[in-house]
């Protein structure tokens, strides 16, 4: 018997990230990004591609569920001092998201500091998958 997972069309979305950040082990510059959630039934990997072509990353994660549906796509970052680490991606119209693996650097910082959360909302989706 197969276990059913979330069956919802995922949309890529465009979002402006106003600070440099780490996604997985990749250090990425500030800028406007296209965020592509995992394909349904595919690997649990999030793809970020800077619109101007000056940065990209693919990051592994695991599916998480919120208490309710998300009204807009959003990215959640952990902030330690002036360092930002991408933590979770949520898509609009779904209660499912993708929690990303922590980088080695974030794990080290978390031993001595408490993270604050920074949430960025995307204005709208760009393409349906």
């Amino acid at each position: 018997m197969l276990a059913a997972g979330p069956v919802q069309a995922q949309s890529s979305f465009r979002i402006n990230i106003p600070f440099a950040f780490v996604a997985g082990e990749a250090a990425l510059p500030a800028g406007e990004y296209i965020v592509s959630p995992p394909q349904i039934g595919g690997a649990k990997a999030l793809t970020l591609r800077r619109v101007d072509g000056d940065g990209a990353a693919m990051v592994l994660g695991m599916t998480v569920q919120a208490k309710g549906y998300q009204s807009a796509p959003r990215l959640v970052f952990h902030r330690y001092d002036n360092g930002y680490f991408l933590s979770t991606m949520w898509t609009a119209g779904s209660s499912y998201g993708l929690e990303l693996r922590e980088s080695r650097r974030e794990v080290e910082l978390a031993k001595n500091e408490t993270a604050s959360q920074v949430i960025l909302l995307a204005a709208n989706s760009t393409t349906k998958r």
Side-chain angles (χ1 to χ4, degrees):
M1 183 178 221
L2 294 173
V7 181
Q8 173 117 12
Q10 302 293 311
S11 296
S12 294
F13 58 91
R14 189 176 225 156
I15 189 166
N16 183 45
I17 303 174
F19 43 77
F21 65 100
V22 174
E25 298 297 332
L28 298 168
E32 191 169 6
Y33 284 83
I34 300 292
V35 178
S36 300
Q39 297 273 347
I40 294 170
K44 301 293 186 235
L46 172 71
T47 304
L48 298 119
R49 183 175 40 87
R50 198 164 136 159
V51 172
D52 68 6
D54 190 28
M58 181 179 284
V59 188
L60 297 175
M62 62 184 222
T63 303
V64 291
Q65 187 171 10
K67 293 179 181 173
Y69 287 92
Q70 304 300 303
S71 59
R74 69 188 69 220
L75 297 178
V76 179
F77 294 84
H78 289 160
R79 181 176 168 249
Y80 299 90
D81 196 23
N82 288 326
Y84 294 85
F85 297 85
L86 183 56
S87 168
T88 313
M89 181 274 322
W90 298 98
T91 56
S94 175
S95 62
Y96 292 94
L98 191 68
E99 184 174 84
L100 306 179
R101 297 173 89 179
E102 293 177 332
S103 70
R104 284 173 270 179
R105 178 72 179 133
E106 183 176 5
V107 170
E108 285 300 313
L109 288 171
K111 289 178 184 177
N112 300 315
E113 297 180 43
T114 302
S116 59
Q117 274 194 351
V118 176
I119 300 172
L120 299 179
L121 299 177
N124 56 13
S125 298
T126 56
T127 55
K128 278 281 190 195
R129 291 201 169 217

